[in-house]
């Protein structure tokens, strides 16, 4: 599957952005999806994940209550709604996909098979 992330940009602290990740392929609905982010000089870290059916979602503690992951399998798209943005949320955001796997760890970047190209989020204070 090929992934294309979009929606990044410059926003003031406290503002909102919605990222989108469009996927190719007819089997998108069977993939577990995740969002990760990487700030300059730092490791890529987990932000949010969503199960293939959309019934289970997972979040990093740092974004709980502020970010929401969702998916529209009819549109082959996963979203990340980001609210109450902070300067420390600034990073390149990546979407990732993994086919259903028993015991899948959404939080581990090494678990994912496919990655999008990333979209830059900048938060001004």
């Amino acid at each position: 599957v090929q992934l294309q992330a979009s929606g990044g940009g410059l926003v003031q602290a406290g503002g909102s952005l919605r990222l989108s990740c469009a996927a190719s392929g007819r089997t998108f609905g069977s993939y577990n999806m995740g969002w990760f982010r990487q700030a300059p000089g730092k490791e890529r870290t987990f932000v949010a994940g969503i199960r293939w059916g959309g019934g289970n979602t997972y979040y990093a503690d740092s974004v709980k209550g502020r970010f929401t992951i969702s998916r529209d399998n009819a549109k082959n798209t996963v979203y990340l709604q980001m609210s109450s943005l902070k300067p420390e949320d600034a990073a390149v955001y990546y979407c990732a996909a993994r086919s259903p796997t028993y015991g899948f760890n959404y939080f581990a970047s090494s678990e994912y098979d496919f990655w999008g190209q990333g979209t830059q989020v900048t938060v001004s204070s």
Side-chain angles (χ1 to χ4, degrees):
V1 62
Q2 291 184 322
L3 305 174
Q4 180 75 34
S6 62
L10 173 63
V11 63
Q12 288 188 331
S16 299
L17 278 176
R18 188 177 79 158
L19 305 183
S20 299
C21 177
S24 63
R26 294 173 293 177
T27 59
F28 170 78
S30 66
Y31 280 81
N32 297 317
M33 301 296 296
W35 283 98
F36 288 75
R37 66 187 181 187
Q38 187 168 20
K42 296 187 177 181
E43 292 186 352
R44 189 171 299 188
T45 58
F46 173 80
V47 176
I50 187 166
R51 196 165 179 264
W52 61 272
N56 297 85
T57 56
Y58 309 87
Y59 296 95
D61 288 342
S62 59
V63 306
K64 281 181 181 176
R66 300 188 298 122
F67 291 11
T68 302
I69 189 171
S70 62
R71 67 189 297 160
D72 185 338
N73 288 342
K75 296 182 178 180
N76 280 14
T77 303
V78 63
Y79 304 98
L80 185 68
Q81 178 67 48
M82 306 186 294
S83 302
S84 302
L85 282 161
K86 305 175 181 179
E88 52 263 42
D89 293 319
V92 176
Y93 282 70
Y94 298 90
C95 57
R98 173 67 188 263
S99 56
T101 303
Y102 180 77
F104 177 62
N105 180 1
Y106 288 84
F107 295 81
S109 60
S110 60
E111 293 270 337
Y112 293 82
D113 295 322
F114 304 98
W115 291 85
Q117 86 291 359
T119 185
Q120 176 73 50
V121 173
T122 304
V123 184
S124 63
S125 57

